[in-house]
Amino acid sequence: MRALLAVFLLIFTLPSLAANTATDPYVELYRAGGWPEQRAHFHDALKAAQQRYRNSLPPAIYQALVDNSNQRFAPAAMDQRALASLRQQLPNPQPALTFLQSPVGRKIIASEVQATRRAQLAQNAQGIPRSQAGATRRLLIGHLVQALPAKEAGAEVSLALAGVAADSLSQMIPGLLGGEQAQGLLNGQRQRLMGQIAGDLDNTLLYVYRDLSDFELEEYISFAESAAGQAYYQAALAALRAGLNAEPNTASAGQ
């Protein structure tokens, strides 16, 4: 169920800057998007990813894995990179903030946060139940699938969680993979993950937004397809990549 978590982690929250929300619309946007809760869910997933290697790696390598991934995903550093990217990529945060603070926006965020809780992920560990939605509902979800960069975001988070072991091995054995070879493998894996997520994305969104009415979904789609919505979600994807430091040059670009 890592993909379900990944779909909604489009950007990260700024808990350390919470006191500044009255004067900083970017921080306020993070909070309105439910990212404080999603940040906690991401770190739950990170701990689970670390634990999967406990019994399969020598103690020294396992400890390096934990130390390296904790450093890479340190909240303050992620906050800095993501916020810098969001400021650069989204000149006007107000339209997205207005939508997310509306009744429909709040209901959307509540549905997303609920879907990525640890208990929900465990409940659906063997797969999300197949939806019996009608043609109209499926058509609406299809529009949402096209409007959101969900598969791209999902692939980045999945790669980050799956890469904690590779990062540690590369540090302990320098030159294990050349730069071009490593980037080629990463790009290939990214494409495979996007394909896997896309294959079940309709059903995933049907499940997550099951409590929204068709009218509420239409409001969501109207925002997501608008120029302001597209600007927000593309900026959010860029902020996600910066926060995860998914690309080799991201760290310097976000500082």
Side-chain angles (χ1 to χ4, degrees):
M1 292 305 298
R2 189 167 57 210
L4 176 60
L5 169 66
V7 163
F8 302 106
L9 290 173
L10 290 180
I11 51 177
F12 297 97
T13 185
L14 299 176
S16 60
L17 301 179
N20 297 331
T21 57
T23 57
D24 191 334
Y26 290 96
V27 178
E28 192 173 356
L29 178 60
Y30 276 60
R31 288 173 59 83
W35 309 127
E37 296 87 350
Q38 296 288 25
R39 164 61 69 76
H41 298 174
F42 173 80
H43 281 91
D44 285 344
L46 175 61
K47 291 176 183 177
Q50 293 171 340
Q51 287 298 316
R52 283 195 292 272
Y53 295 103
R54 177 181 287 275
N55 296 323
S56 59
L57 293 175
I61 296 179
Y62 173 72
Q63 190 57 51
L65 179 155
V66 172
D67 293 343
N68 290 343
S69 55
N70 285 347
Q71 181 178 9
R72 174 180 175 181
F73 300 117
M78 291 174 70
D79 290 347
Q80 240 181 357
R81 294 192 298 265
L83 181 58
S85 175
L86 191 64
R87 291 187 193 281
Q88 182 179 25
Q89 299 294 328
L90 187 65
N92 181 12
Q94 194 58 50
L97 180 58
T98 298
F99 176 75
L100 292 178
Q101 290 180 331
S102 71
V104 171
R106 293 179 189 277
K107 191 170 182 179
I108 289 165
I109 298 306
S111 296
E112 295 172 357
V113 169
Q114 174 64 24
T116 59
R117 293 189 189 281
R118 186 186 305 178
Q120 278 285 303
L121 295 176
Q123 177 181 321
N124 297 312
Q126 301 306 313
I128 296 174
R130 303 307 301 179
S131 172
Q132 301 301 314
T136 299
R137 187 76 169 182
R138 290 187 177 277
L139 181 62
L140 291 171
I141 288 295
H143 280 285
L144 200 56
V145 166
Q146 293 299 315
L148 301 177
K151 67 179 183 294
E152 293 87 353
E156 297 300 348
V157 176
S158 295
L159 281 172
L161 293 173
V164 294
D167 288 347
S168 299
L169 288 173
S170 295
Q171 181 173 348
M172 296 186 73
I173 311 175
L176 181 63
L177 289 176
E180 291 184 5
Q181 183 182 7
Q183 190 62 40
L185 291 172
L186 184 67
N187 289 337
Q189 190 175 4
R190 179 180 288 112
Q191 291 300 319
R192 286 192 296 274
L193 285 166
M194 285 195 292
Q196 292 170 6
I197 293 170
D200 199 42
L201 190 53
D202 287 59
N203 190 62
T204 298
L205 298 191
L206 281 167
Y207 175 77
V208 172
Y209 300 122
R210 62 193 181 279
D211 292 333
L212 271 66
S213 69
D214 287 354
F215 179 75
E216 289 168 333
L217 275 179
E218 289 173 355
E219 284 195 48
Y220 188 8
I221 293 164
S222 293
F223 171 71
E225 291 181 337
S226 69
Q230 285 294 294
Y232 168 65
Y233 287 114
Q234 290 305 314
L237 179 60
L240 167 67
R241 287 172 170 155
L244 293 172
N245 195 17
E247 302 296 343
N249 62 350
T250 302
S252 60
Q255 291 176 350

